[in-house]
Amino acid sequence: MSALSRLHKLILDSYKESLTPMTVYVESTTPVRGRMQHVLPKREVCDKLLGSYIHTTETIYRIIHIPTFMAQYEMYWDGKLQGDTFLPQLLAICATGSRFEAKSKGLRKSIGTDFDGVHIPTACELVKSWLHSLKGKQLIDFTTLQTEMLLLQAMRMTAARPQVLWTQLGAILGMAMTMGMHRDPSEFEPQIPVFSAEMRRENVVLHP
């Protein structure tokens, strides 16, 4: 094997390794919320990653309501936010933002105060774990659909095979149809509140 071939193999093996989630977090018995909090960077880094996401991906794929999300973001860092749906959404957003903003492009297996991003494969696995833990009506909640779409965007950043994304998208489409997202909100009785109706239209993944 030539030196060039060995170098190519070394680079390829290193890249494959960077796409492997960190097992210490993925296979831990710690509640998934705690694991997500542990891999989330400090506030200053999250600010940059969130800003990067908003000015790139969110300009094309409207998933979140930015004013509402930013209000929740401030409450989260102030320790006042209740509920479980925000953290997985933030982690998925930071994972996507890491691909654009972080020097590591979201592929560095590291955490800590000096880390400038999120390890995308690990973040995706943690968000998946959170989604898999949902039951009953949580499975067809609008915030769950948003989280699924945010996860899909994060997965797009490092997916080696498009088939994986198509499978995920198919599941999202099925979920959206179950929720009636393929119908205009004006068709529902009783009438859906204006804000909820506009969010459904903005996040539509099926065209009537």
Side-chain angles (χ1 to χ4, degrees):
M1 183 182 293
S2 67
L4 186 59
S5 297
R6 287 195 297 270
L7 178 60
H8 177 265
K9 185 178 184 303
L10 181 64
I11 294 173
L12 188 61
D13 290 344
S14 177
Y15 178 67
K16 288 180 179 179
E17 171 62 21
S18 70
L19 295 179
T20 305
M22 291 184 281
T23 55
V24 67
Y25 295 108
V26 175
E27 298 179 2
S28 172
T29 57
T30 303
V32 67
R33 181 179 177 83
R35 285 179 276 158
M36 288 192 289
Q37 288 175 325
H38 201 224
V39 301
L40 199 67
K42 59 184 179 180
R43 169 73 187 264
E44 292 79 5
V45 176
C46 286
D47 288 348
K48 293 180 180 179
L49 301 179
L50 176 57
S52 176
Y53 168 84
I54 289 174
H55 292 102
T56 53
T57 304
E58 185 65 23
T59 61
I60 304 172
Y61 305 100
R62 298 291 186 179
I63 299 175
I64 62 173
H65 182 251
I66 295 176
T68 300
F69 191 88
M70 293 307 298
Q72 294 175 331
Y73 184 72
E74 293 297 330
M75 291 175 64
Y76 172 78
W77 290 110
D78 290 340
K80 300 177 182 178
L81 185 64
Q82 301 295 321
D84 298 325
T85 59
F86 177 79
L87 184 56
Q89 290 185 357
L90 177 60
L91 185 58
I93 285 174
C94 286
T96 302
S98 294
R99 194 61 172 168
F100 300 103
E101 187 70 22
K103 292 181 180 179
S104 64
K105 301 301 180 184
L107 296 178
R108 176 184 166 194
K109 286 189 172 183
S110 177
I111 63 169
T113 56
D114 62 335
F115 190 34
D116 64 346
V118 172
H119 184 240
I120 297 173
T122 300
C124 288
E125 286 301 315
L126 290 176
V127 175
K128 286 179 186 177
S129 295
W130 180 83
L131 287 167
H132 291 162
S133 70
L134 301 180
K135 299 178 181 179
K137 291 184 178 180
Q138 292 176 311
L139 296 171
I140 53 172
D141 188 80
F142 185 73
T143 56
T144 302
L145 180 64
Q146 286 179 307
T147 307
E148 291 275 12
M149 290 190 288
L150 290 170
L151 172 61
L152 179 65
Q153 296 304 321
M155 291 172 61
R156 287 180 62 241
M157 299 298 105
T158 58
R161 297 188 304 163
Q163 296 91 331
V164 176
L165 300 178
W166 282 111
T167 301
Q168 181 74 8
L169 180 58
I172 292 174
L173 289 173
M175 178 181 179
M177 290 188 70
T178 301
M179 296 171 60
M181 293 288 288
H182 58 300
R183 297 172 57 192
D184 189 83
S186 62
E187 299 177 10
F188 289 89
E189 291 291 344
Q191 191 172 10
I192 296 176
V194 175
F195 177 78
S196 298
E198 289 306 311
M199 285 300 297
R200 288 173 70 95
R201 291 190 179 102
E202 182 177 290
N203 285 271
V204 68
V205 290
L206 293 171
H207 295 284

